[in-house]
Amino acid sequence: MMLSVRGVTKKYGKLIANDNVSFDINQGEISILLGPNGAGKSTIIKCIAGLLKFDGNIMICGNPNKSLPAKRELGYISEVPALYDMLTVWEHLEFIARAYSLTDWKESAERLLLRFELDDKKKKLGSELSKGMQQKLSICCGLLPNPKLILFDEPMVGLDPHAIKELKNLIVEKKQEGHSILISTHMLDSVSEFWDSTNIMMDGKIAARRTRRDVVGNGEDLEALFFQITEGNKKKPEGGMEE
Amino acid sequence: MKALSYLLIRQLKNRILAIKKKPGLLILYLFIILMIVFSAVSIIIFDNDGAKPTFADERIMYLFIMGFGFMYLFLFINSGLSTGSTLFSMADVGLLFVAPISSKKILIYGLISTMGKALLAAIFILYQVGNLKVQFGYGLKEILALFIIYAMIVLFSQLISIAIYIYSNGNPFRKKLVKTILYLSVLALILSVYLIKIKEQTGLFDAVLRMIDSKWFGYVPVAGWATMFFQGVANGILINVFISAGLFLVVGILVIALLTIGTADYYEDVLISTEVTFQMLRAAKEGRNVPRRTNKKIKIRDEDMDLLKGSGAMTIAYKHILEMKRTSRFIFIDGYTLFITAGVGIAGYNFKNTMAAYGILAVAIYLQFFLTLLGRLKSELIKPYIFLIPEKSIYKVFAASVTSLLKPCVDGVIMFTALAIVRGADPLTCIFMALAYASSGAVFVGLTILYQRVLGGQPNKLVQMMIGMTLLLAVIAPAILMSVATAFLLPSYLDFLCTLPYSIFCTVFAYVMFLACGNLIEKSEYTGKI
């Protein structure tokens, strides 16, 4: 098991952002967190990344998520690119390489920059990049340590078509290499080609869980299920979880 | 003007109605009103008691007005040379600029709206009513004059900034010309002070006061006009009031004419500045610490990249050094170092006794507090990396604080060396003062960690500020008392040692805070906000 989330509850004052959330991700699995805005997807991703305090238990590769071994295996790409204004593109990658004590990272860094068309912008400061370029660099920073578990929070937002295509290819490659990926999104189309399992979130809870095999086997329409849950149809979805 | 007047009135009305939904803000406003009423009542009581105490030199007040006027003028001229200034919001850009409304009317709307905001911001002057009454014997007339001056300076400086931007944007020659005029004006003022000093055989401070009080100074743009206006009101010289108000008005109208005449199109020129202001306001609302971006091009030198060294947590410290190099060539020696050193030098030159030296130290430490409060550790906490780096929290906290610990050491050495040279002060006293300054830096870093650990998730800024100030007083008071007690106990030839207990206390406190709150990263949450 690459990721195990057990009974995670996260409250902001009286607001329950995540309510007793549990799910797992296996090695080489691409798992999607689907849900409308405000469903609690980003919150659970941040909890897994160790950025938020929570009640419950999260294990990454068998280690508590806030432990150093877990952090070494984790990559997190935030929804809003978080870059340093005064560092260049290349310096961001060098900073990550040094902070994670990586060796022989330069070739991987070059490849990532080439792939996301940032190779000619190595000397550009973070503040000089457009929003889309910042997002691309943020992805490069998250992927450089070659983490076993990669968390993407709305990764396609702000990317140009080329970058979206590259990112999709990269996600599939990472899966083939045995990495596990968790992607939060509210855009079904953007992940329809490659997902293995999905958790549909609503009001901070996991409202339904499906694997691709379930959906293909039952002939179920995932999009219809999504709208059934998110648009307030009271009819409980078949196989869905009540939490 | 129908849509525009609707917009102005509706925004004001909604702003007032919104207070109902924010009880904390309502209490704050009531408190402000209460303080203003209290101050006004105190004026009436003072006016009726018949006593005629001796007041402070009125020229000190002129000095404040001059300082304020020049500060605004220089700040806005500088912004005019980079991003320009704005009278508008992003909503104005998106909705008004594209609407079929005359650009002249929109400019007037911007002016009225900015004037309103400036007057609202000027409310802080009313707080000083009691102080001004006691110090200078000023009444409501003078307070009102200060109120008007503040609004005029703010509005006028913004207009000047827009005008300079329009004139110099994309034209290096014109930019150079504006800069040259600005520097020559500063030089002329310094020269005037020097000449007065020589001619009148007086001190530097007195020479500045004499210059402000001179007739010709009243014609110096903005700062001089404002001083003349206040002089006129305070001393009942109507001609001064009319001349200064007239100067503001005439030059103001000229600038507006420049903005709107013929086909002049100011929309594009205020766009960048509006966007920059919008980003800053949004960052402030979200509690992020974002420096104002300018058009200043930062040179990326290959040799600078060698500064990014270390591995693990210490990479954060090296990254800070690289970032500092990008903003200041001499890394730890920046504009603040020069400003504080100049201040200490001037103060040391004018005030020669030993107590004054400790006063200078106290002011320097006070200023340092605000500098450290928004230090690099805090800016690191608004990015996720420090949380994600696989290292122990205490190492990361220390690494993120290294530059904040080192900078006061460098500043302390430079400023107290300046004090020793200018004032001929005892080198040992200066060394121990530098030590006290540097250790204050450590205590402030320690406090930041404690503050973040205890109040990191506290959403109420007012509560944060009040608890933070209480913490500061609680920590620093015993250190000061220990040093005062030492000063009484030690023989006079060991006076230089009196700051040592303070320094030791501060260093020990900082060390304890690192040990006690080093788990900050593990225990706090990443919110992207301060």
Side-chain angles (χ1 to χ4, degrees):
Chain A
M1 192 75 65
M2 196 65 90
L3 171 71
S4 160
V5 178
R6 287 283 168 274
V8 170
T9 297
K10 171 66 192 169
K11 292 179 185 173
Y12 292 106
K14 286 178 187 169
L15 176 81
I16 303 172
N18 285 152
D19 189 1
N20 197 23
V21 172
S22 299
F23 63 90
D24 298 312
I25 301 179
N26 296 313
Q27 190 177 357
E29 181 179 331
I30 298 175
S31 187
I32 309 297
L33 277 174
L34 280 175
N37 294 329
K41 306 183 298 292
S42 287
T43 306
I44 191 68
I45 291 242
K46 282 178 184 153
C47 286
I48 297 166
L51 302 175
L52 299 178
K53 289 187 271 189
F54 56 87
D55 293 322
N57 189 21
I58 298 174
M59 305 291 273
I60 295 168
C61 302
N63 299 299
N65 72 323
K66 289 201 174 189
S67 67
L68 298 189
K71 281 176 188 282
R72 283 196 192 98
E73 306 301 351
L74 178 83
Y76 167 67
I77 291 99
S78 58
E79 184 181 3
V80 181
L83 299 180
Y84 295 103
D85 286 350
M86 287 293 151
L87 290 195
T88 62
V89 167
W90 184 255
E91 285 162 355
H92 272 89
L93 296 174
E94 180 159 3
F95 167 66
I96 292 294
R98 288 177 177 277
Y100 281 74
S101 305
L102 304 179
T103 51
D104 305 325
W105 55 273
K106 287 185 180 167
E107 206 182 314
S108 312
E110 295 277 10
R111 269 204 309 271
L112 280 168
L113 292 182
L114 192 67
R115 219 166 163 166
F116 286 99
E117 297 180 312
L118 288 171
D119 50 319
D120 58 338
K121 303 207 165 39
K122 280 186 199 166
K123 287 191 177 181
K124 285 261 178 201
L125 289 173
S127 58
E128 292 172 346
L129 299 176
S130 69
K131 188 89 181 285
M133 285 182 199
Q134 288 186 351
Q135 181 65 0
K136 289 183 200 175
L137 179 56
S138 193
I139 293 169
C140 294
C141 287
L143 295 177
L144 186 66
N146 201 23
K148 285 183 182 161
L149 173 66
I150 309 164
L151 310 176
F152 286 101
D153 194 355
E154 304 282 2
M156 316 287 182
V157 176
L159 292 183
D160 56 46
H162 173 81
I164 290 176
K165 190 187 86 185
E166 278 305 327
L167 182 61
K168 284 180 178 177
N169 290 342
L170 205 141
I171 287 170
V172 174
E173 284 167 29
K174 288 284 170 192
K175 170 194 158 72
Q176 285 161 356
E177 288 168 18
H179 299 252
S180 303
I181 295 136
L182 177 63
I183 305 169
S184 103
T185 185
H186 54 262
M187 295 184 286
L188 266 169
D189 294 347
S190 64
V191 291
S192 57
E193 308 140 41
F194 51 69
W195 65 278
D196 295 315
S197 65
T198 181
N199 290 289
I200 301 177
M201 289 192 77
M202 186 71 195
D203 298 330
K205 296 176 186 174
I206 303 282
R209 182 174 300 143
R210 297 287 186 274
T211 62
R212 187 179 278 273
R213 203 181 302 158
D214 295 336
V215 173
V216 173
N218 301 340
E220 193 177 26
D221 184 348
L222 191 62
E223 193 172 1
L225 174 70
F226 177 80
F227 287 120
Q228 189 186 348
I229 291 167
T230 56
E231 291 184 352
N233 193 325
K234 297 294 175 195
K235 193 180 162 189
K236 200 179 115 186
E238 220 172 285
M241 287 184 59
E242 198 173 26
E243 294 185 56
Chain B
M1 219 24 198
K2 262 184 188 170
L4 298 174
S5 54
Y6 171 81
L7 196 59
L8 276 171
I9 294 164
R10 201 72 207 175
Q11 284 187 108
L12 182 69
K13 196 177 163 188
N14 287 351
R15 201 176 286 267
I16 294 166
L17 288 174
I19 298 171
K20 275 204 301 190
K21 292 177 191 163
K22 294 179 180 171
L25 202 64
L26 185 65
I27 293 168
L28 184 71
Y29 285 156
L30 286 174
F31 178 74
I32 291 170
I33 292 166
L34 209 70
M35 289 298 289
I36 292 166
V37 171
F38 178 75
S39 301
V41 170
S42 71
I43 286 184
I44 296 163
I45 294 168
F46 265 98
D47 274 344
N48 292 338
D49 68 0
K52 293 280 174 205
T54 322
F55 294 119
D57 189 344
E58 211 173 11
R59 292 178 306 174
I60 302 285
M61 192 64 222
Y62 304 160
L63 181 71
F64 277 118
I65 296 171
M66 179 199 77
F68 190 76
F70 277 138
M71 186 183 79
Y72 257 77
L73 191 62
F74 289 137
L75 281 177
F76 278 87
I77 287 176
N78 264 323
S79 80
L81 290 169
S82 55
T83 57
S85 193
T86 187
L87 304 168
F88 303 99
S89 68
M90 277 307 282
D92 295 332
V93 170
L95 302 173
L96 278 185
F97 284 15
V98 292
I101 301 173
S102 143
S103 62
K104 286 174 192 159
K105 284 180 182 173
I106 291 175
L107 184 67
I108 292 166
Y109 156 82
L111 284 168
I112 294 170
S113 157
T114 306
M115 179 70 118
K117 284 175 198 157
L119 284 172
L120 201 67
I123 213 152
F124 76 90
I125 293 169
L126 297 178
Y127 263 136
Q128 299 299 322
V129 168
N131 211 2
L132 292 169
K133 176 74 190 167
V134 174
Q135 294 296 328
F136 300 100
Y138 290 155
L140 283 174
K141 179 180 57 157
E142 287 85 359
I143 304 295
L144 199 66
L146 284 177
F147 208 67
I148 295 168
I149 285 170
Y150 176 82
M152 284 201 299
I153 289 176
V154 171
L155 191 69
F156 194 82
S157 302
Q158 285 188 330
L159 272 177
I160 287 280
S161 178
I162 297 172
I164 286 175
Y165 186 79
I166 290 175
Y167 174 72
S168 64
N169 185 29
N171 188 328
F173 172 75
R174 287 183 174 184
K175 271 190 183 175
K176 246 181 201 167
L177 185 69
V178 174
K179 274 185 191 168
T180 310
I181 293 170
L182 184 68
Y183 294 147
L184 284 177
S185 309
V186 174
L187 203 68
L189 279 172
I190 294 169
L191 198 69
S192 309
V193 173
Y194 181 71
L195 288 174
I196 294 170
K197 186 179 180 298
I198 301 288
K199 193 183 166 196
E200 306 289 340
Q201 296 283 304
T202 185
L204 190 68
F205 189 61
D206 188 57
V208 173
L209 293 181
R210 280 171 191 256
M211 181 191 74
I212 301 166
D213 205 21
S214 63
K215 272 190 178 173
W216 65 264
F217 184 77
Y219 295 94
V220 172
V222 187
W225 304 343
T227 314
M228 191 206 276
F229 184 85
F230 186 76
Q231 268 177 325
V233 174
N235 302 317
I237 311 166
L238 277 180
I239 188 78
N240 278 6
V241 178
F242 286 130
I243 291 175
S244 53
L247 283 167
F248 269 115
L249 203 68
V250 170
V251 181
I253 289 170
L254 278 175
V255 175
I256 294 170
L258 174 80
L259 296 177
T260 54
I261 207 157
T263 55
D265 181 1
Y266 64 87
Y267 284 179
E268 184 186 326
D269 298 310
V270 297
L271 198 61
I272 294 172
S273 159
T274 308
E275 281 170 358
V276 170
T277 310
F278 169 73
Q279 282 165 8
M280 301 240 335
L281 282 173
R282 191 170 61 180
K285 272 184 189 169
E286 290 172 2
R288 285 186 283 126
N289 175 27
V290 179
R292 187 178 175 87
R293 284 181 196 171
T294 65
N295 282 348
K296 193 178 166 190
K297 185 82 184 159
I298 294 165
K299 281 184 189 163
I300 309 296
R301 297 184 182 89
D302 287 340
E303 60 266 32
D304 289 352
M305 290 171 78
D306 296 337
L307 290 168
L308 192 58
K309 293 177 185 164
S311 69
M314 275 315 282
T315 316
I316 300 171
Y318 285 105
K319 178 180 74 71
H320 287 172
I321 291 173
L322 174 62
E323 287 171 334
M324 290 169 89
K325 182 77 166 62
R326 294 263 151 86
T327 48
S328 168
R329 187 176 295 183
F330 304 105
I331 305 177
F332 289 101
I333 303 167
D334 56 10
Y336 177 79
T337 313
L338 301 178
F339 164 77
I340 196 82
T341 305
V344 166
I346 292 166
Y349 181 79
N350 284 289
F351 305 104
K352 300 280 183 193
N353 65 53
T354 314
M355 279 314 289
Y358 290 111
I360 291 167
L361 173 66
V363 173
I365 290 173
Y366 177 73
L367 291 174
Q368 189 199 2
F369 171 67
F370 293 101
L371 190 78
T372 321
L373 209 65
L374 293 168
R376 294 197 173 258
L377 171 63
K378 280 216 161 187
S379 60
E380 212 54 63
L381 292 174
I382 59 172
K383 299 266 193 282
Y385 302 106
I386 194 166
F387 295 88
L388 297 169
I389 291 170
E391 289 281 345
K392 279 188 177 172
S393 172
I394 191 163
Y395 297 157
K396 291 192 275 189
V397 171
F398 175 73
S401 307
V402 165
T403 51
S404 298
L405 290 167
L406 289 176
K407 176 144 176 64
C409 299
V410 175
D411 285 351
V413 168
I414 293 173
M415 77 172 82
F416 288 101
T417 303
L419 189 70
I421 293 166
V422 171
R423 195 167 165 268
D426 170 32
L428 274 175
T429 307
C430 288
I431 289 169
F432 279 92
M433 279 190 174
L435 193 65
Y437 183 82
S439 60
S440 300
V443 89
F444 293 153
V445 171
L447 261 176
T448 310
I449 297 166
L450 174 67
Y451 179 78
Q452 205 63 38
R453 178 75 183 83
V454 178
L455 295 167
Q458 170 59 255
N460 191 317
K461 292 272 176 259
L462 200 67
V463 174
Q464 272 196 25
M465 202 170 72
M466 285 176 72
I467 299 178
M469 288 305 281
T470 315
L471 271 175
L472 171 71
L473 290 173
V475 169
I476 217 160
I480 295 169
L481 284 175
M482 282 161 70
S483 272
V484 171
T486 311
F488 280 108
L489 292 171
L490 284 176
S492 60
Y493 65 90
L494 289 177
D495 269 354
F496 65 87
L497 282 175
C498 71
T499 53
L500 190 60
Y502 171 88
S503 305
I504 293 170
F505 183 93
C506 288
T507 312
V508 170
F509 175 83
Y511 181 69
V512 171
M513 279 308 101
F514 268 103
L515 289 184
C517 303
N519 59 356
L520 170 71
I521 308 294
E522 284 160 20
K523 300 293 177 190
S524 59
E525 293 194 334
Y526 163 71
T527 58
K529 299 172 186 174
I530 290 176

